[in-house]
Amino acid sequence: MTTKIIKIELPDLSGLYEAAEEIRRGGLVAFPTETVYGLGANALDAEAVQSIFRAKGRPNDNPLIVHVADISMLEKLVTGIRPEARKLIAAYWPGPLTLIFYRAPIVPDEVTAGLDTVAVRMPDHPVALELIKKSNVPVAAPSANRSGRPSPTLACHVAEDLAGRIAYIIDGGPCRVGVESTVLDMTSEVPAILRPGGITPSMIEKVIGTVRLDEGVIGNNCTVKPKSPGMKYTHYAPKGEVIVVSGMPEDVVRWINQKIQQDEKECICSVVITSQEHLSQYGAKDALSFGSVHNPDEVAANIFRLFRECDHIGAEKIYIEAIPKEGIGLAVMNRIEKAAGGRIIQL
Ligand code: TXA
Ligand code: MG
């Protein structure tokens, strides 16, 4: 299959017609959202949804998020919407917040991996919204990467992983947020964050009061079974070994520099992912900047692209400086710790 790339220059969205046609025909279209690129198919077409799993090499037990363009689409997918969910929708949709509801029978098992719940969100991106509207169906879409690879934040990342395996890639430029949406389970009495993302716990609390972090999200406890099936897989990972380093800034820099020198002696290709502020403290060829440590939004927007850059460099070891788990920093550190698979150095 040849993959056609459609470049969209806002505000002209006319290029989306043929891609929407492809969705209606049961085909696969990668498209930009405000978080990461998604790999979309008609959520009500079980065969189309199965082909998402094949293209990504995704395990069948990992359910998909359904993307909607308006509330009437949501209402058809779920059995009911509790008042707290309505409040969150009013506050944060369209936006990087996925809500879990009990599903209506119309939703195929392939989407929910057999669960009695369905995850739904309304993306805050003109291209995504228009694609859903023109398709006139809800669009199931996981991140548009091969399973296990970092989520794509540029169209070229999607092409790297999926060219030849899908019909269309819509290039809408870089994704603004850069990490995937917050997944919030609205079926438990106290809503639970199953995956931290662009909408922070305090933003949720402001609207509905108490919210809790699912045990699978807190710390890096690999023994707790996450409620969100996707969180159990090693994820987002570059090919090299990721080591997260946390502590006083000068200790962190010293520790990493020692490691790099040692690696160099052993002919191991190692890379540091660090803040703009610390960049000059490492050898120029060894270090990549994730932006300012004081600007977690910037770090979020850069982190997955940097993971892919490490692969291009051929990094065998990747040392990453931890950032505070505040605001979207919680989501960034969740992804970094997953990529590290437990290799966390606390100095
Ligand atoms: O920002 C995003 O959410 C992006 C863009 C494309 O919208 N999508 C995305 O999809 O990250 P994906 O498939 O890579 O991650 C979906 C996560 C997985 O961890 C999955 O297990 C969880 O949502 N999930 C989906 N349905 C669920 C359900 N019914 N119950 C619990 N977790 C669910
Ligand atoms: Mg994903």
Side-chain angles (χ1 to χ4, degrees), residues 36 56 58 62 142-145 148-152 180 195 235-236:
V36 301
K56 279 186 58 111
R58 180 178 175 106
N62 193 4
S143 48
N145 50 284
R149 301 224 57 213
S151 292
E180 307 89 341
R195 177 177 75 180
H235 242 93
Y236 324 111

Side-chain angles (χ1 to χ4, degrees), residues 35 58 62-63 65 67 100 117 119 121 142-143 180-181 195 228 230:
T35 58
R58 180 178 175 106
N62 193 4
I65 296 171
H67 297 65
I100 310 255
T117 56
R121 88 176 189 100
S143 48
E180 307 89 341
S181 62
R195 177 177 75 180
S228 196

Side-chain angles (χ1 to χ4, degrees), residues 3 20 41 97 145 167 235 242 248 263 306 309:
T3 301
L97 178 64
N145 50 284
H235 242 93
V242 175
M248 296 295 286
D263 292 342
L306 293 172
E309 266 178 52

Side-chain angles (χ1 to χ4, degrees), residues 77-79 101-105 107-110 112 114-118:
L77 298 170
V78 303
T79 55
F101 302 91
Y102 287 107
R103 70 153 155 169
V107 182
D109 277 341
E110 284 76 3
T112 67
L115 298 175
D116 58 357
T117 56
V118 61

